[in-house]
Amino acid sequence: MASITYEDACCVYPGADKLAVDSLNLDIADGEFVVLVGPSGSGKSTALRMLAGLEEIDSGAISIGGRSMVGVAPKDRDIAMVFQNYALYPNKTVGENMGFALKMRGVPVAERTAKVADAAKLLDLTEYLDRKPANLSGGQRQRVAMGRAIVREPQVFCMDEPLSNLDAKLRVQTRTQIAALQRRLGTTTVYVTHDQVEAMTMGDRVAVLKFGQLQQFASPAELYDRPRNAFVAGFIGSPAMNLFTAPVSDGAIAVGGGTVDLDDDTAALLRGTGLSRVTVGIRPESLALADAEGVSSEVALLEDLGSDTFLYAGLKDPDVTTLDGTPVTLVARCPRRTPARIGDGVRLRQTDRAVHLFDPESGERLN
Ligand SMILES: Nc1ncnc2c1ncn2[C@@H]1O[C@H](COP(=O)(O)OP(=O)(O)OP(=O)(O)O)[C@@H](O)[C@H]1O
Ligand SMILES: [Mg+2]
């Protein structure tokens, strides 16, 4: 087991004009489960591969257990990787697949068999040890790949989208199993995904990346409650946070004929900034349908999920804009079977004062 430190770690691919990973700083504690999340191309896999030694660290440093990994070969880093395509040997049985790294290491048969049996038990694979991978379900193959990593008893697990080949239900089930297993083994784990739900449910802490740059590194609750910038605010949470830019006058934000309900401290803070426009973030669960007061809008879409309905309503206020200039659609989490129809005129009100404010230019959090 070991802690991991990224210190201004950079990676640039030959011929690229931009860094794939740009001055990444992360302090990962021994035994911690850290998730790297971000959109496609944000540098997640590259950051993970730098840790495993599969990509060069062009400047800065990465250390494991206090020992610098610069110049250390992948095989000498004591890391086990689990990839999206499990890369199992088709001609070997489950047991042989799981024990292969130990065999290469020259571990005696008896010890190898015992370790494989232990891991198989942990992963519910005992009855499949003599099967070939082709005769397993996707979820079972995924567990074999995990088993192969576990038997090596590495200092660190690196996992790159290990659940992407599973169907939705199995993904949910398997992510719970992986998180529970990691807690049991206590092995420091860096896990890459583009799925923010996976990140939020699995990680002790989550690092959000964009264009190779770290946006925020915090617990799931902190990311949700206090996103550091508008990008993180919009990336974490499903449906996404309502984000729009609106005019400010004397500490009040005007939207659709009404004003955003702010607590006194936030209003004072906003007044102090002297901004004439501000980017506002309100989560769908902080909005509800109102009878009389509230922002008037028109229902554009209803998503009845059985447990809740997400109501999307277009806002008709030319002074309020989205970050990319498209018309503003607000989404509110409403009770299931909400009796509204597309095209209905409705009013939306805030159910609380959980309002996130961001600088409209830099996107940095203000409150
Ligand atoms: N082998 C390579 N050669 C050149 N550029 C690369 C190479 N691999 C990745 N890149 C570039 O580096 C950047 C980061 O890529 P990376 O694979 O780390 O992203 P990612 O966050 O893992 O994306 P995804 O979610 O699509 O897997 C991208 O701009 C990508 O095009
Ligand atoms: Mg990737």
Side-chain angles (χ1 to χ4, degrees):
M1 286 201 282
S3 58
I4 298 168
T5 312
Y6 284 76
E7 218 178 345
D8 289 325
C10 295
C11 175
V12 57
Y13 287 106
D17 52 1
K18 269 193 175 160
L19 295 172
V21 170
D22 189 350
S23 300
L24 181 60
N25 285 293
L26 291 176
D27 254 316
I28 300 170
D30 182 22
E32 200 172 12
F33 193 130
V34 163
V35 178
L36 307 182
V37 72
S40 184
S42 57
K44 308 176 295 289
S45 295
T46 305
L48 190 74
R49 292 169 60 83
M50 288 161 79
L51 173 63
L54 304 174
E55 299 297 345
E56 199 120 342
I57 304 164
D58 289 304
S59 68
I62 295 178
S63 53
I64 300 178
R67 176 173 161 234
S68 170
M69 288 296 122
V70 177
V72 177
K75 66 176 176 42
D76 298 326
R77 295 192 183 196
D78 200 8
I79 284 176
M81 286 217 43
V82 182
F83 295 101
Q84 176 177 348
N85 62 346
Y86 313 128
L88 301 176
Y89 300 106
N91 299 324
K92 294 191 198 302
T93 63
V94 167
E96 287 163 352
N97 263 287
M98 283 168 61
F100 190 66
L102 300 184
K103 188 174 174 184
M104 288 291 100
R105 224 190 262 167
V107 175
V109 180
E111 188 183 336
R112 223 157 69 203
T113 311
K115 285 202 164 141
V116 168
D118 281 351
K121 201 167 153 210
L122 204 62
L123 293 160
D124 247 340
L125 286 172
T126 307
E127 58 183 297
Y128 305 107
L129 281 174
D130 295 325
R131 278 209 205 167
K132 298 276 170 64
N135 304 325
L136 297 175
S137 71
Q140 290 162 345
R141 271 179 233 166
Q142 201 285 332
R143 298 211 298 277
V144 177
M146 284 294 297
R148 198 174 43 179
I150 289 171
V151 295
R152 294 178 49 193
E153 296 173 11
Q155 293 196 81
V156 175
F157 288 131
C158 287
M159 304 189 193
D160 194 348
E161 312 251 11
L163 305 183
S164 3
N165 289 342
L166 305 181
D167 67 42
K169 194 170 171 207
L170 203 52
R171 278 183 84 124
V172 173
Q173 199 182 330
T174 312
R175 85 179 178 222
T176 319
Q177 287 169 350
I178 292 183
L181 189 67
Q182 191 275 343
R183 254 128 235 172
R184 194 139 104 214
L185 298 170
T187 308
T188 314
T189 301
V190 184
Y191 183 104
V192 163
T193 178
H194 63 272
D195 179 348
Q196 57 91 23
V197 178
E198 228 167 88
M200 294 292 278
T201 51
M202 295 178 84
D204 292 318
R205 281 191 297 166
V206 178
V208 183
L209 293 172
K210 180 193 171 195
F211 300 139
Q213 291 169 344
L214 182 64
Q215 305 294 305
Q216 189 167 3
F217 183 34
S219 68
E222 173 88 6
L223 285 181
Y224 195 84
D225 295 342
R226 290 190 57 80
R228 214 169 71 189
N229 58 36
F231 174 78
V232 176
F235 190 76
I236 299 290
S238 177
M241 185 189 282
N242 294 292
L243 281 168
F244 51 84
T245 301
V248 180
S249 119
D250 193 28
I253 305 166
V255 176
T259 56
V260 174
D261 192 10
L262 298 176
D263 61 47
D264 293 346
D265 288 349
T266 309
L269 185 141
L270 180 59
R271 210 175 286 122
T273 64
L275 287 170
S276 60
R277 292 181 70 78
V278 70
T279 298
V280 181
I282 300 178
R283 295 231 178 252
E285 63 268 30
S286 295
L287 290 179
L289 280 178
D291 290 335
E293 287 159 35
V295 174
S296 61
S297 52
E298 187 182 304
V299 178
L301 181 69
L302 286 155
E303 284 178 345
D304 192 342
L305 301 184
S307 54
D308 311 285
T309 298
F310 290 109
L311 181 143
Y312 295 78
L315 184 68
K316 291 200 195 82
D317 181 339
D319 290 333
V320 177
T321 54
T322 56
L323 309 190
D324 56 11
T326 52
V328 178
T329 300
L330 297 174
V331 50
R333 193 176 82 192
C334 299
R336 65 204 206 117
R337 315 285 138 78
T338 290
R341 279 165 313 180
I342 292 171
D344 280 358
V346 290
R347 287 177 175 278
L348 295 175
R349 66 177 171 84
Q350 286 169 254
T351 55
D352 56 38
R353 287 173 163 176
V355 176
H356 309 256
L357 298 182
F358 305 97
D359 184 291
E361 294 299 323
S362 68
E364 292 300 307
R365 186 182 187 89
L366 298 169
N367 63 329

